[in-house]
Amino acid sequence: MKINGYFLAGSLVWLSAATVVAQPNPSSGHNNDQRSVREVPVRNSNGRNWQNNNSENTRNNNADSSTNSNDDVAEEENSTDTTVDNSSETSIDETEDTSGNNGDSSTDVNEDNSDSSDNSTISDDEENSTTGDSDITWIVNSTDERAPYIYENNSNQQVLVNVQSVEPVTVAGKEYTRISATGIPDYQIEITQEILDALINRPKASSDFVSGYPQVQAGEVVSFGQDIGYRSNSSCGSEAGYGFWPPGPVCPENVSHVGYIPAEPEASTDNCETGLGVQGYWVNGTSIYQWSDGQSVNNTWHTLAPMAEVYDVDICGGHAANGDYHHHFYSDCLAEIAGDTADGHSPIYGYTADGYAIYGPWEDTGVLAKSSWAIRDYDDPRSDTGCGVAGQRSCLLIDEYDIDRGVSNTNNTGPTTSGSYTSQSGNEFETPAGFFYEDYYWDESLTAQGREYLDQFNGHTDSERGYHYHLTVTQDSNGQLVPAFPFTFGPRFAGKLDDQTIVNRCSTTVGR
């Protein structure tokens, strides 16, 4: 069965890819008045209240409420062009097997990130600041709460959840906020009828679930890693993650993130592509990944994780690659931890490596932030963005940031807009316009409209928050929020990277 959908907010939202419109993005200008990571309030320990913090202000975590997901299936999410984390852990290197893909699919993976280990200069040069304010939105685990179903390697000790520490530091004269986290969240999800129906209606439910059916009921509250009946990867142990993730993805592990986020981000003057792997942290210390799943067709047409991996994520829309749990797109679980009630401007959901905050999808009450990335028109042979033959993917934009430069023909053709793509997990998807990265271009005229329209980096500036990114979604006729390209931020960083930041250099290849 060919399907096209998104696993979103714990439910599978079905739609035609033609309706997955790229959203317009406002003001592309940056200023230096962006909100510092140190100026944001810390979550109160008992829920959605906000307060100015001192180091004691944290959120109490429920050890029985964690919902993480793991997915090694179609992602090689760390490239040699990108440094992942300035931590003492080895990098997240994902190698993806494309044997499950159809004949025209090829893989752009097998990359080893030799740069993603510790930067020794940090520990040598850094100077812990004892003054200054470390107020941030981070969900800090101050009571040693532990995940009920995720264990330390070769141990019967459960893993600590959320963020372990947040502190201001100075490295080589520059101020950063240093974040230490296990990368394991404490999500707790109530199974709605909608979520249950989505699980039951998976196209491969008979093989995805051990008994052919999810072992969970509507109204039940599920903790992160709790068995709901999936036939999980063998890396997951019984009562230790097995059954929470669909087939393919490995189970998440304590990856011991240690990352440095610039306290005062600076706008980049270079074109700096995002890459695979960790690109920042959500407020619970889990990883922010960008749009790519590391796969392509004919090494040319790069698949989008929120589309091609829709059946490879858990009921919170996340999964793990080499043990690193992450999200590529908006989900209700992220909204919940951020305290986003859709009443006014969304709060901060996380920070990217360049230091800019990612806010949720809402620009104001009832007003979504809008991506300014538009979908190419392949169906009109006379279209400036098409290939001269209706429905054919036989040409590439010379510059996705300037469509006036035209297109160039390619022998590495992609599926037609009525064709199909088989994912790593063996699910077959229709491929209408909007399925691949190469289907998009930045529409400057949308950005020029300002207000809720974002720029080419998926961000904009306002007087209260300075420059910031937004998660982008559209809203369907049923009120469901559907991820919209580029989903989190990017495809390029708006701010500068440096030797200490979570990512310390730009990717040299789109999608890698």
Side-chain angles (χ1 to χ4, degrees):
M1 177 172 64
K2 295 180 183 177
I3 45 86
N4 187 281
Y6 287 104
F7 203 83
L8 175 64
S11 62
L12 190 59
V13 180
W14 301 97
L15 69 162
S16 159
T19 67
V20 184
V21 295
Q23 303 184 8
N25 302 18
S27 61
S28 54
H30 309 161
N31 64 21
N32 290 323
D33 146 30
Q34 65 282 337
R35 198 172 188 188
S36 164
V37 68
R38 301 188 186 192
E39 298 171 351
V40 186
V42 162
R43 294 291 300 282
N44 181 283
S45 60
N46 292 317
R48 303 301 172 210
N49 297 325
W50 299 93
Q51 60 189 21
N52 290 328
N53 102 294
N54 52 43
S55 60
E56 300 301 317
N57 291 335
T58 58
R59 175 185 169 206
N60 286 338
N61 304 311
N62 183 338
D64 290 332
S65 63
S66 33
T67 310
N68 245 342
S69 121
N70 241 10
D71 164 330
D72 249 354
V73 155
E75 286 176 51
E76 178 252 349
E77 306 200 4
N78 235 337
S79 98
T80 53
D81 300 317
T82 308
T83 293
V84 180
D85 287 344
N86 291 322
S87 75
S88 58
E89 295 296 309
T90 54
S91 64
I92 311 304
D93 170 39
E94 252 181 53
T95 302
E96 304 185 325
D97 175 11
T98 55
S99 58
N101 284 352
N102 60 14
D104 6 13
S105 297
S106 63
T107 247
D108 298 26
V109 298
N110 252 346
E111 296 176 320
D112 173 31
N113 187 348
S114 57
D115 274 55
S116 49
S117 56
D118 269 344
N119 283 329
S120 58
T121 56
I122 293 177
S123 55
D124 293 337
D125 297 342
E126 91 184 7
E127 201 180 300
N128 289 340
S129 171
T130 55
T131 61
D133 172 11
S134 60
D135 296 349
I136 51 178
T137 56
W138 306 102
I139 300 174
V140 179
N141 181 356
S142 61
T143 56
D144 291 338
E145 301 280 353
R146 294 183 179 272
Y149 296 102
I150 304 299
Y151 291 80
E152 300 288 358
N153 287 333
N154 303 313
S155 170
N156 61 2
Q157 177 67 66
Q158 296 160 319
V159 176
L160 291 167
V161 297
N162 297 329
V163 176
Q164 275 61 66
S165 67
V166 177
E167 57 183 327
V169 299
T170 300
V171 183
K174 185 172 179 177
E175 294 185 345
Y176 300 86
T177 297
R178 182 173 61 191
I179 309 300
S180 174
T182 60
I184 299 297
D186 65 342
Y187 300 139
Q188 197 171 51
I189 313 99
E190 181 176 355
I191 303 298
T192 63
Q193 189 61 50
E194 185 177 36
I195 292 174
L196 183 59
D197 289 345
L199 294 171
I200 293 169
N201 292 322
R202 288 173 64 93
K204 297 176 64 181
S206 61
S207 58
D208 287 349
F209 294 103
V210 172
S211 68
Y213 195 87
Q215 300 302 299
V216 69
Q217 300 297 320
E220 186 175 345
V221 176
V222 173
S223 296
F224 170 75
Q226 182 176 335
D227 188 352
I228 64 171
Y230 275 124
R231 192 184 305 275
S232 298
N233 188 287
S234 60
S235 68
C236 305
S238 175
E239 296 296 315
Y242 191 90
F244 186 73
W245 286 281
V250 297
C251 264
E253 301 172 4
N254 176 358
V255 292
S256 298
H257 290 311
V258 177
Y260 290 69
I261 297 174
E264 296 183 7
E266 301 175 64
S268 177
T269 55
D270 301 316
N271 293 331
C272 184
E273 298 289 343
T274 61
L276 300 177
V278 185
Q279 304 294 292
Y281 301 142
W282 302 110
V283 294
N284 61 358
T286 59
S287 295
I288 297 170
Y289 279 32
Q290 43 88 292
W291 57 268
S292 178
D293 68 353
Q295 298 295 296
S296 71
V297 172
N298 289 336
N299 292 315
T300 300
W301 303 89
H302 294 85
T303 48
L304 306 176
M307 292 190 175
E309 293 186 330
V310 65
Y311 292 111
D312 304 326
V313 294
D314 61 23
I315 53 178
C316 268
H319 57 201
N322 281 0
D324 184 38
Y325 185 78
H326 57 275
H327 293 276
H328 291 271
F329 54 91
Y330 169 88
S331 81
D332 277 358
C333 292
L334 287 173
E336 174 70 16
I337 64 164
D340 195 348
T341 60
D343 182 13
H345 196 285
S346 286
I348 292 173
Y349 281 44
Y351 285 90
T352 58
D354 59 13
Y356 290 120
I358 299 182
Y359 285 76
W362 296 100
E363 177 63 17
D364 203 345
T365 302
V367 180
L368 289 168
K370 295 180 179 178
S371 164
S372 63
W373 285 80
I375 296 176
R376 295 173 62 182
D377 183 359
Y378 291 106
D379 292 332
D380 182 354
R382 297 166 297 178
S383 166
D384 291 340
T385 61
C387 298
V389 179
Q392 295 294 310
R393 285 186 174 93
S394 56
C395 68
L396 298 166
L397 294 173
I398 293 172
D399 184 350
E400 64 266 44
Y401 292 88
D402 182 4
I403 61 169
D404 289 341
R405 294 186 61 187
V407 299
S408 61
N409 292 331
T410 178
N411 292 325
N412 297 329
T413 58
T416 67
T417 56
S418 58
S420 66
Y421 169 83
T422 302
S423 72
Q424 287 290 91
S425 52
N427 287 290
E428 189 179 10
F429 295 85
E430 295 177 352
T431 55
F435 189 82
F436 298 100
Y437 171 85
E438 287 71 22
D439 294 350
Y440 292 86
Y441 65 92
W442 174 51
D443 188 339
E444 189 174 7
S445 69
L446 295 175
T447 296
Q449 295 183 43
R451 301 181 303 278
E452 69 268 29
Y453 287 88
L454 307 174
D455 63 16
Q456 65 267 45
F457 309 107
N458 227 35
H460 64 175
T461 299
D462 66 31
S463 58
E464 180 180 345
R465 300 163 192 86
Y467 188 80
H468 58 282
Y469 301 114
H470 274 277
L471 290 170
T472 41
V473 300
T474 57
Q475 197 164 26
D476 68 13
S477 58
N478 296 318
Q480 289 282 355
L481 299 182
V482 181
F485 183 86
F487 312 116
T488 52
F489 76 108
R492 293 171 176 168
F493 284 104
K496 291 181 179 179
L497 307 177
D498 63 39
D499 288 344
Q500 321 306 331
T501 51
I502 296 167
V503 179
N504 66 14
R505 60 176 176 172
C506 308
S507 176
T508 58
T509 307
V510 168
R512 301 294 296 274

